[in-house]
Amino acid sequence: MAAPLRTFLACSGLSRDRLSGSRAGWWAWLLQRVTGLGLVLYIFLHIGVISTAQLGADTFDDVLAVLQTPIFVVLDLLLATAVVYHGLNGVRVILIDLGVGVSRQAELFWACLVLTALTMATVTFFSLPLIVRG
Amino acid sequence: MMDEFILTVMRTGSDDDPDPEWHDFKVPIISESMSVLDALIWSRANSDDTLAFRCACRVGMCGTCGVVINGREKLACKTLIANQLNSSTNAIRVEPLRHLTVVRDLVTDPGDFYRRLTAVIPNLSPGEEANEPAIITPDSKERLTIAPHRECIYCGLCYSACSMAGPDREFLGPAAFNRAFTLVEDSRDQAAGERLAVMDGRKGIWSCRAIFECTAVCPKGIPITLAVQRLKRRLLVDKLKGIFRFGRRRRVRQTPSK
Amino acid sequence: MDPSTAAPPSVGASGFWQWFLQRVSGLLLIALVGVHMWMGHFSGLADVIAGSQEELVLYDIVERRLAQGLFIFVDFSLLALVLYHGLSGLRSVLLEWGPAARRGDQVSIGLLLLGVVTFAYGAKVLLVFIL
């Protein structure tokens, strides 16, 4: 493309970035924050649960047997969804922070959601026997 | 087509009752290209001449008429009534810009906004030994990098929309970062180090969470967030280089990034 | 509010280190959490479905896993990093809130103590399996 044309496009509003108007970045941030706070709470819960091992192997096994009943498997899957989204969007944020893919930030957000959905669909499929057997 | 609509404006209260509240104006739709600013001017002329708002050029060049329309930052002169009304509502809500002190009705005090710009040394600082004249061709990488970011009209929409400027009133904000970027990347400028130090400091670029609200509302289509991320990258590289130099004195790069 | 009045938290005041370490720890956690979730939730799945193993997670299984040096390393690193990443993230969210920002140092030290204490407790629990 001729230099004067490129300069003109860069300076005028004609090459308006696809970013304009999109609220994808805001949703991505909100979800990152919500999953993050949820996961921080979960960490403490998780350490608490595993700490029942201090009460002996049988107590531990009993506690974990309850936590592997179908309702908890479903809760676990929700947890995994939060982890997967948080991690994927985290990678998106790192890319954007390094100046990579900034003009495609909305598409990257959709990609995070799609990948999260696909991953969780796969994981849920393989976990169905655990939910069903209860 | 409707022949009138309701312009709902957030107005400051009176001396007796200072809480801001919504005030409705019934405005006739004069033409298809009627803007929100036209509606404000009509309301002031025909309904209540105490209605306060700012405007100047009326053609989207000066950045004076920035307001929040239906929850989103926009220039009143560039926002068509027709695009804001739909089948389910014939009312348009207008509020003053966020994160700035309201003087009256839709007029805000831009002091906080300008203070942040001042903090990043917003003027070109060529230094004592500048080679005159500087030759930067239109198709140079430097010029093409900086060009979109120089379109800024300092309307303040980005600062109002910024999610980080809300809870944290000390955050320097998108317009300041954007302006700083145009100068830091300019090979004629010698104050990059000082500017980067200000932005590296508290409430600088590290608090930008790449939420992109600034970029979404910019009436000039400036990729503001891109400027911030490039500044982050530059500071990151400089700091990492500094760590690896151990005892040797760290100097922030004066020349633009490659 | 005058930008210069409130004192900033002294730890990580420039914000760069918080920003940088959050990303480094995040990337490391992708790998570590992946391994942890695989080991904890999926590696015995086929056996459980087949019926040859009662549950996915049992005391013995955890004990056996933690007899291996690699997993001792993984689990301790995971504990440390996840507490760091989580509490550092919580800190940056809290410091956006005015009342907390004005007591920035106290918030930071409070979270640091919480992290250290939780790590010590978690390490103690891990040692139950190892020893």
Side-chain angles (χ1 to χ4, degrees):
Chain A
M1 204 188 287
L5 184 57
R6 268 191 295 153
T7 312
F8 175 68
L9 284 176
C11 293
S12 73
L14 289 180
S15 61
R16 199 175 185 92
D17 226 75
R18 273 172 289 167
L19 295 168
S20 297
S22 169
R23 288 214 91 185
W26 186 82
W27 282 109
W29 170 72
L30 185 71
L31 281 175
Q32 189 74 349
R33 197 158 267 212
V34 166
T35 53
L37 291 173
L39 287 168
V40 168
L41 288 173
Y42 174 75
I43 294 166
F44 288 96
L45 201 64
H46 188 55
I47 294 174
V49 161
I50 303 296
S51 73
T52 56
Q54 295 174 114
L55 301 168
D58 291 328
T59 317
F60 182 77
D61 286 340
D62 289 340
V63 170
L64 264 90
V66 171
L67 293 177
Q68 287 167 94
T69 52
I71 180 76
F72 282 100
V73 173
V74 170
L75 286 174
D76 251 348
L77 288 170
L78 286 173
L79 165 77
T81 310
V83 170
V84 172
Y85 171 78
H86 194 87
L88 284 172
N89 188 55
V91 171
R92 170 180 165 272
V93 168
I94 290 172
L95 287 173
I96 288 170
D97 270 346
L98 296 173
V100 174
V102 177
S103 61
R104 290 190 169 69
Q105 66 98 8
E107 285 92 324
L108 282 175
F109 172 62
W110 302 125
C112 284
L113 290 180
V114 166
L115 281 171
T116 303
L118 286 175
T119 309
M120 290 320 299
T122 314
V123 168
T124 308
F125 175 74
F126 285 109
S127 305
L128 279 174
L130 289 176
I131 304 170
V132 163
R133 74 177 174 155
Chain B
M1 191 173 122
M2 290 177 267
D3 52 9
E4 68 173 21
F5 73 100
I6 312 283
L7 185 72
T8 307
V9 181
M10 175 62 78
R11 301 194 64 181
T12 41
S14 58
D15 289 333
D16 307 321
D17 182 14
D19 287 337
E21 52 182 34
W22 296 106
H23 191 108
D24 286 350
F25 293 97
K26 252 199 213 138
V27 180
I29 299 178
I30 296 163
S31 85
E32 274 179 14
S33 57
M34 185 177 190
S35 68
V36 172
L37 180 61
D38 292 332
L40 286 167
I41 292 171
W42 187 94
S43 301
R44 187 166 185 273
N46 297 283
S47 286
D48 183 350
D49 65 1
T50 65
L51 177 63
F53 56 91
R54 278 213 182 95
C55 67
C57 76
R58 297 173 296 117
V59 291
M61 275 182 58
C62 67
T64 308
C65 64
V67 282
V68 174
I69 298 171
N70 286 340
R72 209 85 165 105
E73 280 75 2
K74 292 188 182 338
L75 292 179
C77 64
K78 299 289 279 182
T79 306
L80 298 186
I81 301 292
N83 290 342
Q84 295 299 312
L85 298 172
N86 55 46
S87 54
S88 54
T89 177
N90 76 330
I92 297 179
R93 278 184 354 251
V94 185
E95 303 163 79
L97 289 181
R98 299 175 183 128
H99 316 145
L100 294 171
T101 313
V102 176
V103 173
R104 207 175 105 225
D105 295 345
L106 299 173
V107 177
T108 50
D109 178 355
D112 279 347
F113 178 70
Y114 288 132
R115 262 191 290 281
R116 280 150 176 75
L117 276 169
T118 316
V120 297
I121 315 168
N123 49 291
L124 182 70
S125 312
E128 307 250 327
E129 294 167 26
N131 289 322
E132 306 240 23
I135 298 173
I136 303 170
T137 56
D139 61 346
S140 65
K141 189 159 192 278
E142 182 181 329
R143 178 72 180 271
L144 291 175
T145 302
I146 295 173
H149 301 272
R150 281 181 52 107
E151 295 294 300
C152 180
I153 56 176
Y154 305 101
C155 60
L157 296 194
C158 59
Y159 181 66
S160 173
C162 177
S163 304
M164 299 309 294
D168 181 359
R169 300 290 287 251
E170 300 159 41
F171 184 51
L172 285 175
F177 297 144
N178 183 68
R179 179 61 183 164
F181 176 73
T182 63
L183 295 164
V184 160
E185 290 293 311
D186 193 323
S187 56
R188 300 168 298 172
D189 187 83
Q190 296 301 308
E194 293 157 60
R195 261 188 225 100
L196 286 167
V198 168
M199 292 188 291
D200 186 23
R202 66 186 177 97
K203 304 317 163 188
I205 55 174
W206 308 115
S207 288
C208 168
R209 308 261 188 260
I211 302 171
F212 286 92
E213 288 288 85
C214 55
T215 306
V217 302
C218 178
K220 292 294 166 185
I222 302 173
I224 305 171
T225 315
L226 180 62
V228 184
Q229 307 311 351
R230 284 190 169 158
L231 287 171
K232 278 183 193 169
R233 192 169 60 185
R234 178 157 167 168
L235 265 175
L236 171 68
V237 168
D238 285 343
K239 279 182 188 283
L240 289 177
K241 277 196 196 154
I243 296 166
F244 289 118
R245 279 197 202 117
F246 293 106
R248 279 191 272 162
R249 243 186 93 230
R250 256 192 299 149
R251 243 197 41 179
V252 177
R253 247 182 319 137
Q254 295 295 340
T255 52
S257 34
K258 293 276 177 291
Chain C
M1 181 173 132
D2 186 337
S4 58
T5 47
S10 57
V11 180
S14 82
F16 167 72
W17 285 110
Q18 202 272 343
W19 175 89
F20 183 64
L21 292 175
Q22 195 69 348
R23 281 142 184 78
V24 168
S25 60
L27 286 173
L28 290 171
L29 278 170
I30 289 174
L32 288 171
V33 168
V35 170
H36 183 72
M37 287 195 110
W38 174 259
M39 294 312 302
H41 296 247
F42 297 108
S43 63
L45 189 57
D47 289 335
V48 172
I49 295 172
S52 59
Q53 185 178 307
E54 201 185 303
E55 294 282 2
L56 264 184
V57 185
L58 286 167
Y59 190 95
D60 302 325
I61 294 169
V62 180
E63 196 179 31
R64 258 182 284 141
R65 199 180 82 223
L66 282 167
Q68 302 164 62
L70 171 66
F71 290 109
I72 296 176
F73 173 75
V74 165
D75 278 359
F76 274 100
S77 310
L78 183 63
L79 181 64
L81 276 174
V82 88
L83 282 171
Y84 173 78
H85 187 86
L87 293 173
S88 179
L90 184 61
R91 174 180 175 255
S92 65
V93 172
L94 284 175
L95 291 181
E96 287 173 18
W97 184 48
R102 282 189 279 279
R103 293 170 195 74
D105 273 340
Q106 290 165 345
V107 170
S108 304
I109 291 172
L111 287 172
L112 177 66
L113 282 174
L114 177 63
V116 167
V117 165
T118 312
F119 178 77
Y121 184 71
K124 182 166 157 265
V125 171
L126 278 174
L127 287 172
V128 167
F129 290 100
I130 297 170
L131 298 173

